[in-house]
Amino acid sequence: PDFFDAVMMLGQYIQKSQGLKATIQFYEKLQKKQPQVKIAEVLAQHYISQSQYEKAYEQLAIIDENTEDSVQV
């Protein structure tokens, strides 16, 4: 099952109550267990906003590996 909407709502709650750093840590834990393209998209955006480009690249690679249309990263 796809729990993306619930994960995003929980991420938004964590961001409001604990800040962006805690939100990123939450998404990172999820990605370590089972990488998901949709979470990789969100996490990459957060990394880019924090100038963490190498981590963003890792998430973009997850997207590239799991989509039919290759993205040049």
Side-chain angles (χ1 to χ4, degrees), residues 32-55:
K32 285 181 184 178
K33 289 182 181 179
Q34 183 178 5
Q36 297 181 22
V37 171
K38 291 179 181 179
I39 296 173
E41 291 171 358
V42 173
L43 195 49
Q45 291 174 358
H46 285 307
Y47 285 144
I48 290 168
S49 74
Q50 298 292 305
S51 300
Q52 297 181 18
Y53 300 114
E54 287 189 29
K55 288 184 176 184

Side-chain angles (χ1 to χ4, degrees), residues 44 53 56-65 70-73:
Y53 300 114
Y57 180 84
E58 292 172 6
Q59 296 304 308
L60 293 172
I62 291 170
I63 296 167
D64 188 47
E65 292 169 2
S70 287
V71 177
Q72 294 294 328
V73 285

